[in-house]
């Protein structure tokens, strides 16, 4: 059946859970369950993130959820590189986020099967996403392969903005209770956490560049650079910059990672660029990349 066209000046109708058929669970986060769902009016597939209000309240994560929505709305004007938030609604017990369905899952699932050509392509798309975040004054703070999703055409869709920081709101954030504690606390995932979070807590755009270095390392050799048996030992290795490269690690990729995994955030490649992240774009590792048109993603083996 052809859907009835909605006149351009008519605001979209408020959606509810009844407008969707909920299918399989496609992911579980600490505070959410993500379902594949179909819009009954258009047949279009979405990923719907469902959050239990009681759980959010109990874990005092309201600020986290609000932040995620705020950031996704800020990014909604871009139809690529980020998961798009189409709408939100709620019922008595739950909050619902209707998001782009990333059909090919997350980068972590595929990370052990990437050719160097793939690494270059995906690193370039992630950098373009970070450039856009920079324009919108957003620091992701939890960039990792699980949060880099892949759409039906294998392009990157960055997600999970619950830990993000909107730079312009810094003063407001520090004033409100729940967030004020976050400045010096560990936000993110142990293996990708930045040294500055572990020391003075001063997060900046360069923090995402450290995580980018970790992700590129992992895309090249399949494992994260800083690994140990406990969070404490991982943190120690990060602070000591204790990691090594396998012998067959591509030399240009190695040089790039070495310039991103730098303890001093101001010395990380790209951190002082007037136009972010020109110096990363110009790195030799990307000499084959046409930044005006990245083209189609190379096939993942
Ligand atoms: P975290 O524990 O990292 O805070 P969270 O509660 O914020 O998690 P998400 O990371 O957003 O939840 O989602 C959990 C999982 O659901 C993801 O790892 C991913 O596998 C899947 N997922 C989330 N969003 C989508 C999407 N738009 N398309 C496909 N799968 C998704």
């Amino acid at each position: 059946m052809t859907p009835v066209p909605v006149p351009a000046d008519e605001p979209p109708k408020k959606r509810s859970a009844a407008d969707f058929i909920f299918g399989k669970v496609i992911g579980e986060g600490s505070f959410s369950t993500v379902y594949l769902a179909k819009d009954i009016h258009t047949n279009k597939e979405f990923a719907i993130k469902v959050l239990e209000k009681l759980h959010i309240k109990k874990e005092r994560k309201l600020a986290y959820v609000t932040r995620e929505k705020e950031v996704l709305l800020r990014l909604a004007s871009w139809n690529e590189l980020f998961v798009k938030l189409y709408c939100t609604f709620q019922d008595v017990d739950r909050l619902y986020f209707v998001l782009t369905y990333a059909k090919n899952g997350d980068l972590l699932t595929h990370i052990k099967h990437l050719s160097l050509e793939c690494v270059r392509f995906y690193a370039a798309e992630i950098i373009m996403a970070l450039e856009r975040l920079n324009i919108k004054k957003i620091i992701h703070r939890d960039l990792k392969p699980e949060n880099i999703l892949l759409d039906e055409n294998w392009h990157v869709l960055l997600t999970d903005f619950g830990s993000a920081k909107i730079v312009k709101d810094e003063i407001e954030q520090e004033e409100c209770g729940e967030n004020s504690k976050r400045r010096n606390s560990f936000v993110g995932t142990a293996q990708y956490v930045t040294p500055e979070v572990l020391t003075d807590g001063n997060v900046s755009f360069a923090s995402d560049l450290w995580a980018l270095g970790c992700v590129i390392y992992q895309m090249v050799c399949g494992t994260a650079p800083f690994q140990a048996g406990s969070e404490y030992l991982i943190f120690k290795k990060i602070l000591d910059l204790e990691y090594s490269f396998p012998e067959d690690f591509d030399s240009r990729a190695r040089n790039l990672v070495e310039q991103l995994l730098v303890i001093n955030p101001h010395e990380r490649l790209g951190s002082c660029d007037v136009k972010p992240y020109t110096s990363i774009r110009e790195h030799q590792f990307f000499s084959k990349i046409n930044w005006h048109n990245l083209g189609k993603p190379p096939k993942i083996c």
Side-chain angles (χ1 to χ4, degrees):
M1 201 173 80
T2 324
V4 183
V6 180
D9 53 353
E10 193 177 302
K13 270 216 187 98
K14 184 77 188 151
R15 292 283 200 229
S16 76
D19 290 297
F20 298 91
I21 297 168
F22 284 73
K24 62 176 181 182
V25 172
I26 49 175
E28 305 238 27
S30 334
F31 317 105
S32 66
T33 305
V34 184
Y35 295 88
L36 174 60
K38 202 176 249 186
D39 185 321
I40 59 167
H41 310 283
T42 62
N43 263 339
K44 199 174 150 100
E45 287 184 318
F46 293 97
I48 303 192
K49 190 165 171 167
V50 182
L51 304 109
E52 298 283 337
K53 287 181 183 175
L54 255 180
H55 187 51
I56 300 293
K57 209 171 162 191
K58 203 169 130 218
E59 300 292 324
R60 305 186 66 205
K61 289 292 171 187
L62 189 60
Y64 177 98
V65 177
T66 314
R67 180 54 41 92
E68 176 148 46
K69 181 175 172 181
E70 196 182 350
V71 170
L72 284 167
L73 288 176
R74 246 176 211 235
L75 298 172
S77 55
W78 276 307
N79 285 319
E80 48 186 32
L81 297 174
F82 304 102
V83 152
K84 189 177 173 110
L85 178 64
Y86 286 89
C87 64
T88 58
F89 50 85
Q90 55 178 298
D91 56 28
V92 184
D93 299 318
R94 297 172 203 89
L95 303 171
Y96 298 82
F97 283 23
V98 181
L99 303 160
T100 323
Y101 171 42
K103 216 169 189 165
N104 283 308
D106 62 33
L107 185 63
L108 184 67
T109 312
H110 307 283
I111 209 152
K112 288 191 192 295
H113 311 280
L114 301 180
S115 62
L116 201 60
E117 200 192 350
C118 278
V119 175
R120 210 184 324 273
F121 178 88
Y122 285 114
E125 285 207 332
I126 297 164
I127 289 160
M128 289 181 86
L130 291 180
E131 287 169 359
R132 292 180 183 187
L133 288 183
N134 194 302
I135 291 170
K136 295 280 183 188
K137 303 277 173 250
I138 296 161
I139 307 170
H140 188 291
R141 301 211 296 183
D142 197 14
L143 184 69
K144 58 180 176 178
E146 293 95 310
N147 290 336
I148 301 164
L149 303 182
L150 299 167
D151 73 9
E152 57 188 348
N153 298 315
W154 296 92
H155 286 284
V156 158
L157 294 173
L158 232 59
T159 191
D160 201 354
F161 291 94
S163 306
K165 177 169 172 149
I166 301 175
V167 172
K168 163 169 136 321
D169 296 337
E170 193 167 0
I171 297 162
E172 292 159 39
Q173 271 186 39
E174 281 169 18
E175 280 167 2
C176 72
E178 213 175 316
N179 277 327
S180 61
K181 287 185 213 132
R182 290 173 61 168
R183 196 173 166 85
N184 289 312
S185 62
F186 160 49
V187 173
T189 306
Q191 284 170 336
Y192 306 90
V193 82
T194 57
E196 57 270 26
V197 164
L198 300 172
T199 50
D200 58 15
N202 267 329
V203 172
S204 67
F205 289 105
S207 305
D208 286 344
L209 297 179
W210 173 279
L212 172 69
C214 292
V215 172
I216 295 176
Y217 179 101
Q218 192 167 351
M219 286 198 288
V220 175
C221 71
T223 54
F226 303 100
Q227 304 218 56
S230 68
E231 274 193 354
Y232 171 79
L233 291 173
I234 293 175
F235 294 161
K236 193 168 172 322
K237 282 192 168 179
I238 290 171
L239 291 171
D240 294 342
L241 201 60
E242 190 191 326
Y243 74 107
S244 58
F245 291 93
E247 254 179 36
D248 58 351
F249 203 101
D250 176 79
S251 61
R252 289 180 181 190
R254 176 181 174 145
N255 182 280
L256 175 61
V257 170
E258 282 172 338
Q259 292 197 62
L260 291 167
L261 296 183
V262 174
I263 297 287
N264 183 343
H266 307 294
E267 289 173 10
R268 279 173 212 152
L269 188 68
S271 65
C272 296
D273 291 351
V274 176
K275 184 171 184 287
Y277 291 110
T278 326
S279 53
I280 303 181
R281 282 184 178 224
E282 286 169 358
H283 188 277
Q284 272 205 328
F285 181 63
F286 295 115
S287 57
K288 290 184 190 155
I289 287 282
N290 173 2
W291 288 99
H292 299 293
N293 180 12
L294 294 186
K296 283 190 186 155
K299 227 177 157 57
I300 292 180
C301 329

